């Protein structure tokens, strides 16, 4: 089984579980509080993934070492690139 | 370790995302299990907003990206016309 098939299988299992709890299509009389918690689950996972990304970016910004030479080199390269682009006609 | 502003910016990002995650988790997961007369409910908006507010945030984000793209393309077009 290819990786794509594995991922699709996993995703469809999770999706089926969510639909079962949130929408109660088989009328299994799922308790109301469980339905209320399960319904916004996709949005909640998206928000928590966004928070995790933000925290990771913040952590890497806070722990990144300063490297003076690389900063100088980068500044020169940026100037060079801007000159080159300006010559070719792109205005920034 | 990075210094000064970098560290402050990074730490503030981490703290902000932690606070957002905790508030949203309690809002979505913990509140439905609390009785409706529990004192915790005072600190949270009605639950419809837990869906509406992220939706509005997503729309605003898309608008900002679109506006930035439009401005850059427009400036580029304008200077091309002048040349």
């Amino acid at each position: 089984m290819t990786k794509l098939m594995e991922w699709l299988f996993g995703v469809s299992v999770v999706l089926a579980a969510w639909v079962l709890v949130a929408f109660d299509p088989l009328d299994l009389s799922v308790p109301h509080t469980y339905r209320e918690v399960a319904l916004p689950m996709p949005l909640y996972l998206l928000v928590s993934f966004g928070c995790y990304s933000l925290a990771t970016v913040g952590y890497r910004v806070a722990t990144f070492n300063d490297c003076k030479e690389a900063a100088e080199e980068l500044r020169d390269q940026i100037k060079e690139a801007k000159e080159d682009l300006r010559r070719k006609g792109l205005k920034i | 370790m990075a210094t000064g502003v970098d560290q402050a910016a990074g730490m503030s990002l981490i703290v902000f995302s932690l606070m957002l995650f905790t508030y949203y988790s309690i809002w979505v997961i913990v509140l439905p299990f609390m009785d409706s007369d529990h004192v915790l409910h005072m600190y949270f908006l009605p639950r419809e907003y837990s869906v509406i507010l992220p939706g509005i945030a997503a729309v605003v984000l898309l608008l900002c990206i679109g506006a930035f793209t439009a401005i850059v393309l427009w400036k580029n077009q304008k200077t091309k016309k002048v040349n």
Side-chain angles (χ1 to χ4, degrees):
Chain A
M1 197 188 263
T2 66
K3 273 296 173 189
L4 177 67
M5 296 306 291
E6 279 180 31
W7 272 86
L8 282 177
F9 180 68
V11 165
S12 42
V13 164
V14 171
L15 198 69
W18 175 67
V19 167
L20 210 65
V21 178
F23 298 104
D24 212 3
L26 304 174
D27 281 326
L28 296 167
S29 46
V30 180
H32 177 69
T33 39
Y34 287 144
R35 293 192 68 182
E36 225 183 296
V37 169
L39 212 46
M41 262 310 127
L43 189 62
Y44 172 76
L45 290 175
L46 193 65
V47 170
S48 35
F49 173 70
C51 285
Y52 166 74
S53 314
L54 210 61
T56 310
V57 167
Y59 176 70
R60 300 237 173 110
V61 165
T63 54
F64 196 74
N65 291 320
D66 282 338
C67 16
K68 266 208 154 123
E69 310 170 340
E72 291 285 330
E73 201 184 329
L74 187 59
R75 234 167 273 150
D76 291 332
Q77 285 180 340
I78 291 176
K79 238 189 336 181
E80 215 181 301
K82 272 197 186 157
E83 279 303 317
D84 192 34
L85 285 173
R86 203 167 290 143
R87 243 178 285 129
K88 300 215 175 113
L90 176 67
K91 291 291 183 281
I92 296 182
Chain B
M1 292 288 287
T3 50
V5 185
D6 284 346
Q7 235 177 352
M11 291 309 275
S12 60
L13 266 181
I14 294 178
V15 166
F16 171 72
S17 66
L18 267 176
M19 283 187 2
L20 188 68
F21 177 69
T22 327
Y23 186 86
Y24 199 67
S25 302
I26 298 181
W27 204 5
V28 171
I29 297 184
V30 174
L31 273 194
F33 292 105
M34 302 275 134
D35 304 318
S36 44
D37 52 358
H38 197 279
V39 71
L40 203 60
H41 280 273
M42 273 198 310
Y43 295 102
F44 293 91
L45 296 165
R47 289 194 82 236
E48 301 84 55
Y49 287 102
S50 75
V51 175
I52 294 175
L53 286 180
I56 294 181
V59 168
V60 166
L61 184 72
L62 285 176
L63 273 176
C64 290
I65 294 175
F68 175 73
T69 316
I71 288 177
V72 167
L73 284 176
W74 190 31
K75 274 210 187 132
N76 198 25
Q77 270 255 337
K78 213 164 47 157
T79 46
K80 234 188 253 180
K81 245 192 275 183
V82 168
N83 287 348

